[in-house]
Amino acid sequence: MPALDPTQLETLVVIAEEGTFDAAARRLHITPSAVSQRIRALERAAGQVLVRRTTPCTPTEAGEPLIRHGRQLRLLLDEAAATLTSGDSSDAGAVVDLSVVVNADTLATWFRPVLDEVATWDRTSLRITVEDQGYSADALRRGEVLAAVTSEPKPVQGCTVEPLGRLRYTPGATPALVERHRRGRGIDWGAMPMIVYNEKDHLQDEVLAAHGATRPPVVHRVPSSHDFHEAIRRGLGWGMLLDAQAEADLASGATVPLPGAKPIDIQLFWQRWRLDSIALDDLSEAVRRAARSQLRRVRQPRPPG
């Protein structure tokens, strides 16, 4: 395959980010016809269709690695430009974009010191996508982000992986809700209302399965980390309380652990592209520091022998 044109690669990336050829044209300050010409030329060079002409446009399986390479090239070029223009405040274009995906509970708790650090970096834009930790590695595979906080321990192709620590969740509810559904020393799992974060949230289902139960008739959906916790505090239903958020309520008795239910630990990992980037290295170190200070430690296996 002939060498790929960086301008065409960037156009492919922008289409993936904006969703349509017209929106990509506006962002690139060219005509939609010029966007189409660039993509057709790139597809001729690749010998394959790279973009599905749907609404929104999505990359094909062949297009995903090219988007990943396009974002890598963008990062390196922007990083070089930011270095060259570090003393020139008039160059508004020399900004390094760091795109990451994290789960909502991470963003609401231990990741916040990372935001404090990035706030002190000049010419750096942090772009955060929120996704369940069980699915966040998919964004790396599709080339949508540079790094991810994920529960996936196996490195995505082209990425490195390192353990960060554990989030602990305790099944909890208000004392009044527990009393209403108490059955002897336990509770009626099949009747007590339950709260989930979204359709990808299966932590509560793990607890139910451990007690031989399935979802109750009433299941509430609260897709916000803070409001999920608040909904439990107000007695809407039971759910998995993140210890970092619920520590005070559990200590005061405003919420209580459910009888007979054990906490669940979720191990988190940091996956990032294997790329020689100072900005990505700095972000990774900021994530490590935040994880070391706030997450439960991951127990490392002992070396053989």
Side-chain angles (χ1 to χ4, degrees):
M1 186 172 71
L4 300 178
D5 185 303
T7 300
Q8 295 168 0
L9 278 176
E10 175 65 12
T11 303
L12 179 65
V13 172
V14 174
I15 289 172
E17 292 173 344
E18 297 294 332
T20 68
F21 280 47
D22 287 345
R26 287 192 294 271
R27 178 167 156 186
L28 294 170
H29 306 291
I30 58 178
T31 65
S33 176
V35 169
S36 296
Q37 290 172 14
R38 289 180 183 181
I39 295 304
R40 284 198 298 270
L42 184 61
E43 289 177 332
R44 284 196 298 271
Q48 300 182 71
V49 175
L50 304 175
V51 180
R52 299 183 186 93
R53 273 66 165 179
T54 56
T55 304
C57 294
T58 58
T60 64
E61 187 175 347
E64 288 179 357
L66 292 187
I67 289 175
R68 183 166 60 249
H69 293 317
R71 280 202 172 96
Q72 291 174 349
L73 181 60
R74 174 198 284 177
L75 173 64
L76 297 177
L77 290 175
D78 287 348
E79 197 168 62
T83 301
L84 292 173
T85 61
S86 58
D88 182 7
S89 60
S90 64
D91 189 347
V95 174
V96 176
D97 281 340
L98 294 175
S99 54
V100 300
V101 57
V102 303
N103 57 302
D105 287 339
T106 282
L107 185 58
T109 53
W110 69 269
F111 200 80
R112 290 184 175 181
V114 178
L115 307 184
D116 295 336
E117 288 206 39
V118 176
T120 67
W121 301 348
D122 292 331
R123 300 180 180 276
T124 301
S125 172
L126 184 62
R127 300 179 183 271
I128 297 176
T129 300
V130 175
E131 179 58 277
D132 183 273
Q133 66 274 357
Y135 298 84
S136 54
D138 292 339
L140 278 171
R141 294 186 181 93
R142 293 191 297 266
E144 295 173 359
V145 295
L146 299 167
V149 174
T150 175
S151 59
E152 174 57 61
K154 183 179 179 180
V156 172
Q157 185 177 7
C159 293
T160 62
V161 61
E162 59 184 285
L164 293 173
R166 294 177 291 167
L167 292 176
R168 171 160 288 183
Y169 293 85
T170 298
T174 60
L177 186 65
V178 172
E179 286 305 312
R180 286 210 315 269
H181 295 278
R182 189 176 291 277
R183 297 293 184 270
R185 295 184 179 181
I187 56 175
D188 187 348
W189 292 100
M192 187 163 59
M194 188 175 80
I195 306 174
V196 298
Y197 181 85
N198 60 19
E199 65 279 357
K200 297 177 181 178
D201 178 11
H202 300 295
L203 280 180
Q204 287 75 209
D205 297 294
E206 292 185 30
V207 175
L208 291 175
H211 290 83
T214 57
R215 287 193 173 192
V218 176
V219 178
H220 303 286
R221 182 177 181 273
V222 182
S224 158
S225 182
H226 170 78
D227 295 321
F228 182 94
H229 174 213
E230 187 65 21
I232 296 174
R233 293 182 74 249
R234 293 176 180 273
L236 187 65
W238 77 272
M240 301 302 288
L241 288 164
L242 178 61
D243 279 9
Q245 290 178 307
E247 185 177 8
D249 284 340
L250 290 169
S252 69
T255 56
V256 295
L258 299 186
K262 297 180 179 180
I264 293 179
D265 286 347
I266 301 296
Q267 292 193 356
L268 298 179
F269 300 86
W270 178 245
Q271 293 214 33
R272 52 158 286 185
W273 286 347
R274 192 180 292 110
L275 194 63
D276 188 11
S277 161
I278 294 174
L280 193 51
D281 289 346
D282 289 345
L283 178 64
S284 297
E285 183 55 36
V287 170
R288 290 187 199 104
R289 281 193 291 269
R292 281 196 299 265
S293 66
Q294 300 194 49
L295 288 179
R296 293 173 178 267
R297 295 184 62 184
V298 176
R299 187 174 298 172
Q300 298 295 322
R302 293 184 178 182

